Amino acid sequence: YYPETDSISYTTLSRFPPVKLLPPSQRKRILVTGGAGFVGSHLVDRLMVLGHEVTVIDNFFTGSKTTVSHWIGHPNFEMVRHDVVEPFMIECDQIYHLACPASPPHYQFNAVKTIKTSFMGTLNMLGLAKRTKARFLITSTSEVYGDPEVHPQHEDYWGHVNPIGPRACYDEGKRVAETLTYGFQRQDGVDVRVARIFNTYGPRMNPADGRVVSNFIVQALKGEDMTVFGDGTQTRSFQYIHDLIDGLIALMNSPESRPVNIGNSDEFTIGDFAELVREIVEKVQDEDGVKRSRRVNIIYKEIPTDDPQKRRPDTTRAKETLDWQPKWTTRMGLEEMIRYYKAKMEEGSL
Ligand code: NAD
Ligand code: UDP
């Protein structure tokens, strides 16, 4: 099954997680841009285990080689340091285009670069899809709906985005990336898929990237104040990473070429969410016999400009066309992620 790597011995392969042995006719050559990031690394794991050949390109701006280092040396895996604003040449059957910083502090760090990544990166990857006839999937976002006036958000809603605010580099970047995607579909017949992802969390999320789930868990584990922005009445709906990966793979391999929301519709105010995280952290600490000197405080800080007030996906389309729905409850997912960060903290890497 590894004709190109006959010399690789069983001993070499046995140091990797076990992968399915697919006959060459079923093995796809898959490019994952941003594959060293949080979502990308989980997608790579799943595609590798399914037996495909996976190439990651990433500039390591927010991602890290360590997220996929367990595959380095595997004959089905390659990783290249590359910035998607430059063209990339490869032969492939499917492209998952994820490369783009996703947390507000990171995408606002260099707004112009974020727009370049969204526009030029997507242009380059669509050009590659056109030449190779690969199927192209872009990870768009619930941010295309901006600060929505329709609730919950369904795919036919056009959104309410401030085009000149601090979030615009990301929101408008993803909106133009979608426009470009459907432009290539109409003009060049590129086979496209558009996933609109809602807030997702899980292990390997960069603990310093400033998103609410990682901030709250790290703060609660370290016994620091938990920082709620604004009065905490704004809402979000949180999806666990494994559900997202199921949804992305289902979408890529389905005939659905319209945008599809992928998210969990369990909606929380951020204030309630802080309390839930604190409660589960305490439960995990109690189970592990960790002593707390006091209960962590929840404190309130200024709300960032244009922070959306409400967000919850309408996932009817995903259910009907992909037969997909989330399996992880927020409580289950949070407990997994808390245990992951706690272990990192104990080994000194958090
Ligand atoms: P992440 O920041 O962990 O991963 C992004 C990856 O892209 C990183 O590895 C980063 O180094 C890489 N990257 C950034 N700019 C690049 C460039 N110019 N060239 C090459 N690589 C580049 O973020 P994530 O949460 O894994 O998000 C992945 C994708 O999913 C993004 O497109 C994001 O917009 C989308 N998304 C994520 C969420 C979420 O809640 N996690 C929600 C909506 C959409
Ligand atoms: N948030 C918060 N405390 C934090 C980080 C974020 O209250 O330490 C809030 C933020 O203002 C927003 C929500 O949590 O209302 C989700 O923020 P995140 O950055 O995770 O994602 P996004 O705003 O892109 O949905």
Side-chain angles (χ1 to χ4, degrees):
Y1 288 108
Y2 296 102
E4 73 281 24
T5 51
D6 278 347
S7 58
I8 295 206
S9 66
Y10 176 74
T11 327
T12 311
L13 287 178
S14 67
R15 71 186 163 86
F16 298 104
V19 306
K20 207 164 156 183
L21 297 179
L22 286 180
S25 60
Q26 288 176 29
R27 213 191 301 154
K28 293 201 162 59
R29 298 161 304 173
I30 303 179
L31 177 66
V32 181
T33 77
F38 159 54
V39 175
S41 66
H42 286 274
L43 178 63
V44 166
D45 281 355
R46 195 77 73 81
L47 295 172
M48 284 294 295
V49 168
L50 286 170
H52 299 296
E53 287 175 28
V54 178
T55 302
V56 164
I57 60 176
D58 201 296
N59 70 353
F60 307 119
F61 170 42
T62 55
S64 154
K65 279 179 209 167
T66 58
T67 61
V68 283
S69 54
H70 46 286
W71 295 115
I72 290 175
H74 193 288
N76 282 0
F77 181 77
E78 270 181 289
M79 178 157 63
V80 182
R81 179 190 289 268
H82 180 82
D83 194 310
V84 291
V85 304
E86 304 295 340
F88 188 76
M89 295 291 184
I90 192 172
E91 299 308 313
C92 56
D93 305 305
Q94 293 185 338
I95 301 170
Y96 286 88
H97 177 44
L98 280 65
C100 184
S103 84
H106 280 146
Y107 68 65
Q108 290 172 27
F109 173 74
N110 183 341
V112 174
K113 174 70 193 212
T114 299
I115 304 165
K116 270 172 87 174
T117 295
S118 270
F119 182 72
M120 293 169 67
T122 305
L123 181 66
N124 286 328
M125 291 308 123
L126 281 162
L128 178 66
K130 179 180 167 186
R131 182 179 64 79
T132 57
K133 300 199 167 28
R135 186 173 283 179
F136 173 89
L137 180 149
I138 182 163
T139 51
S140 185
T141 168
S142 52
E143 292 279 335
V144 298
Y145 303 122
D147 188 5
E149 292 162 315
V150 166
H151 192 72
Q153 294 79 54
H154 56 79
E155 291 87 348
D156 295 331
Y157 176 48
W158 290 356
H160 181 229
V161 173
N162 173 0
I164 58 170
R167 298 176 85 97
C169 57
Y170 184 70
D171 301 9
E172 296 289 18
K174 289 287 185 178
R175 286 168 68 95
V176 77
E178 286 197 15
T179 310
L180 208 49
T181 301
Y182 287 109
F184 271 76
Q185 182 197 47
R186 284 191 202 102
Q187 269 176 246
D188 299 301
V190 175
D191 191 14
V192 303
R193 302 290 180 268
V194 174
R196 290 191 181 148
I197 303 174
F198 284 65
N199 297 63
T200 305
Y201 66 99
R204 297 197 197 136
M205 211 166 166
N206 183 339
D209 84 2
R211 285 185 266 191
V212 71
V213 186
S214 41
N215 274 8
F216 282 176
I217 296 178
V218 172
Q219 289 163 342
L221 280 172
K222 290 189 170 171
E224 296 166 359
D225 293 343
M226 296 170 76
T227 52
V228 169
F229 298 161
D231 61 5
T233 55
Q234 73 273 33
T235 71
R236 294 293 187 275
S237 312
F238 298 99
Q239 142 175 263
Y240 197 55
I241 183 68
H242 299 322
D243 284 329
L244 171 61
I245 302 303
D246 288 345
L248 291 178
I249 294 177
L251 176 60
M252 174 63 104
N253 296 295
S254 85
E256 181 56 80
S257 64
R258 297 171 300 171
V260 180
N261 288 339
I262 304 187
N264 189 315
S265 47
D266 217 359
E267 184 180 3
F268 294 85
T269 67
I270 294 301
D272 287 348
F273 189 67
E275 285 177 23
L276 178 67
V277 170
R278 180 169 65 178
E279 178 205 315
I280 302 175
V281 167
E282 287 174 350
K283 172 183 167 276
V284 168
Q285 288 174 331
D286 289 347
E287 281 170 9
D288 294 358
V290 177
K291 293 264 170 294
R292 281 185 304 279
S293 51
R294 62 174 179 89
R295 189 158 217 222
V296 296
N297 295 318
I298 295 177
I299 60 163
Y300 294 83
K301 292 200 157 185
E302 203 179 327
I303 188 103
T305 309
D306 294 341
D307 199 284
Q309 271 307 300
K310 276 173 186 288
R311 184 179 295 154
R312 170 156 59 101
D314 178 333
T315 52
T316 313
R317 182 173 290 172
K319 195 165 178 216
E320 285 175 2
T321 65
L322 310 180
D323 192 22
W324 173 91
Q325 55 186 337
K327 298 189 186 90
W328 285 74
T329 64
T330 310
R331 209 170 253 284
M332 281 158 55
L334 280 176
E335 191 163 331
E336 285 277 312
M337 184 158 167
I338 288 165
R339 290 200 175 279
Y340 170 85
Y341 275 175
K342 185 165 174 287
K344 289 265 159 214
M345 211 167 96
E346 283 159 4
E347 71 182 36
S349 57
L350 191 80

